[in-house]
Amino acid sequence: MQTIWKGKKISAMLGVLPEKEVYFDDEVGNYSFPEKQTLRLKRVMGYEKHRISRETSSAADFAVFGVRHMLKEGWILREEIGALVVVTLSPDYFVPHISNIVQGELGLLEDTLCVDMSQGCCGFLFGLMEAFMLLEHLRDKKVVLVNVDILSHKVSHRDRNDYPLIGDAATVTIIENSSDQSEIYFEMHMDGTGREALKIPAGAFRMPSTADTGIMKDIGDGNFRSLDNMHMDGSAVFNFVQTKVPPLIQSVFKNTGYSVDDIDYFLFHQPNKFMLQKLAEKIGIPFEKLPMNLVENYGNPSGASIPLVTVHNLREQLKEKSYRCCLSAFGSGLAWGAMTMELGKLQNCEMIVSEL
């Protein structure tokens, strides 16, 4: 898919973090590997610490907390919200949807469209696409986009391949129509034949969770997890990213006329520092243009990674100035996509910590 939008802008971004901060060094004893070997992994992958939500907290709790903060601080009025879009792999329930929970908890108007989308790594790009399409029909109203995941609840603490990189977080983004006619270019690709690379086998209708699916087992490489746990095939995902993303970015350059020099920041999904460094080298992106510090500070928050790395690194600059940015995400699905847009002159841009 390739398309172009005009007259759309991001006007505010909020990052919401859980207060619990866990250091990699404190978790070394969880894994059945020599400590020296595990600490070497820390240096290579860029692990340092990650944010983990309480076991009693849900994705809807984070969504309500973030949108309530925006309303309380006057970032947006209830009557200005035309649609609420929630993108997550961590639903509270099969039914009701998180967007309906947020609408009910915060007293949003009855003509507010409530949409939930099930997307992972590319969740922010899919959420923006949905917001841009909705804005074609919302006149002067705005879209509130929530990206939230608490996937630490679904990853085994004894799995050194997956647990150190995972992080819980939410982001809330306000998108609106604008008289600015700058083009937003968007390109997305999917390959369902690689879907097994990121998977939670049990818990839905194909394989409901049972006592048996919750049994922890050594899966053959010293990592322990159950069928209820999420797993990423690291080698498969690494090869996928290194193979598919560079041609994607070259396609973006070809279709927009931009080059690496024309882009101020490359705001990419954050799997780990090692993967991003190799990707930057392959594309020819200077490291200073591609922030790679999310996993070492917060962990990988799935679809919230692009807005979270943006707020973490650029929140002060984005209030004062606009930048030409290339957003790109890649992962579960498998899916990979990119978007170029002017980002900046934001009315609000903030990071907050919740007690969730």
Side-chain angles (χ1 to χ4, degrees):
M1 174 187 177
Q2 297 174 345
T3 193
I4 293 173
W5 285 284
K6 291 183 180 180
K8 309 287 183 287
K9 71 174 183 179
I10 291 173
S11 57
M13 302 180 80
L14 175 70
V16 183
L17 301 169
E19 65 177 357
K20 184 178 180 181
E21 191 174 54
V22 182
Y23 282 80
F24 181 87
D25 289 3
D26 295 333
E27 297 176 326
V28 171
N30 294 347
Y31 312 122
S32 57
F33 298 89
E35 180 175 328
K36 185 177 180 180
Q37 183 189 96
T38 299
L39 291 176
R40 189 183 308 120
L41 183 70
K42 169 187 174 180
R43 292 191 295 272
V44 172
M45 306 300 280
Y47 297 151
E48 181 60 34
K49 56 187 176 179
H50 53 170
R51 295 281 180 146
I52 303 297
S53 60
R54 299 177 186 270
E55 291 185 3
T56 54
S57 297
S58 75
D61 294 334
F62 280 91
V64 169
F65 186 92
V67 178
R68 177 180 282 132
H69 177 84
M70 284 187 165
L71 291 168
K72 181 180 178 182
E73 297 299 316
W75 291 24
I76 194 169
L77 304 175
R78 284 175 175 81
E79 55 268 28
E80 292 180 308
I81 302 175
L84 174 66
V85 178
V86 177
V87 186
T88 186
L89 292 176
S90 314
D92 286 41
Y93 314 100
F94 284 123
V95 179
H97 306 304
I98 291 177
S99 55
N100 294 116
I101 295 172
V102 176
Q103 183 198 30
E105 287 293 317
L106 299 181
L108 303 185
L109 303 184
E110 290 184 357
D111 65 353
T112 303
L113 292 171
C114 295
V115 181
D116 276 28
M117 301 178 69
S118 178
Q119 290 291 338
C121 307
C122 291
F124 187 61
L125 297 183
F126 276 108
L128 288 178
M129 177 183 70
E130 182 74 10
F132 294 156
M133 291 191 293
L134 287 169
L135 285 170
E136 294 291 323
H137 309 281
L138 291 176
R139 298 191 179 96
D140 60 343
K141 291 206 171 188
K142 305 175 184 180
V143 175
V144 173
L145 168 62
V146 178
N147 290 87
V148 56
D149 269 308
I150 51 168
L151 289 173
S152 70
H153 296 198
K154 281 292 185 180
V155 179
S156 167
H157 294 200
R158 300 177 65 192
D159 187 343
R160 197 188 65 176
N161 286 352
D162 297 309
Y163 192 68
L165 65 85
I166 206 69
D168 299 330
T171 57
V172 189
T173 306
I174 299 175
I175 305 108
E176 59 185 85
N177 286 312
S178 169
S179 58
D180 181 8
Q181 292 299 300
S182 297
E183 290 188 346
I184 299 173
Y185 176 82
F186 178 56
E187 184 169 337
M188 178 64 70
H189 301 271
M190 314 286 289
D191 180 11
T193 64
R195 63 191 181 275
E196 301 290 325
L198 292 99
K199 187 174 182 178
I200 303 174
F205 290 105
R206 175 70 68 179
M207 185 188 297
S209 291
T210 65
D212 289 339
T213 65
I215 296 173
M216 301 285 288
K217 297 179 181 179
D218 184 341
I219 53 91
D221 61 358
N223 290 293
F224 287 78
R225 60 177 174 269
S226 73
L227 292 172
D228 289 327
N229 294 138
M230 185 180 78
H231 173 58
M232 179 181 74
D233 183 337
S235 296
V237 172
F238 179 85
N239 291 333
F240 150 70
V241 171
Q242 301 301 316
T243 301
K244 297 295 187 181
V245 178
L248 165 70
I249 302 303
Q250 293 304 319
S251 176
V252 170
F253 290 158
K254 178 181 177 181
N255 287 295
T256 61
Y258 299 147
S259 67
V260 169
D261 293 338
D262 297 317
I263 303 296
D264 296 308
Y265 290 105
F266 292 83
L267 302 170
F268 282 13
H269 173 59
Q270 300 280 303
N272 58 65
K273 180 178 283 188
F274 177 75
M275 191 181 297
L276 289 171
Q277 286 177 337
K278 293 301 181 183
L279 190 58
E281 290 169 357
K282 199 160 189 177
I283 300 171
I285 301 171
F287 283 4
E288 61 269 19
K289 284 192 173 189
L290 200 166
M292 308 178 192
N293 55 1
L294 204 68
V295 169
E296 66 191 67
N297 284 285
Y298 309 125
N300 173 359
S302 186
S305 63
I306 291 177
L308 200 67
V309 78
T310 302
V311 174
H312 176 71
N313 289 281
L314 302 174
R315 59 181 175 270
E316 295 305 322
Q317 297 98 302
L318 289 176
K319 294 176 186 177
E320 304 296 329
K321 186 178 176 182
S322 288
Y323 300 90
R324 180 177 292 148
C325 297
C326 177
L327 321 180
S328 183
F330 27 85
S332 57
L334 294 171
W336 61 106
M339 181 179 292
T340 58
M341 66 184 305
E342 294 290 328
L343 182 60
K345 298 291 182 69
L346 302 186
Q347 297 170 10
N348 302 95
C349 192
E350 185 180 348
M351 186 84 77
I352 59 175
V353 177
S354 72
E355 296 181 355
L356 297 169

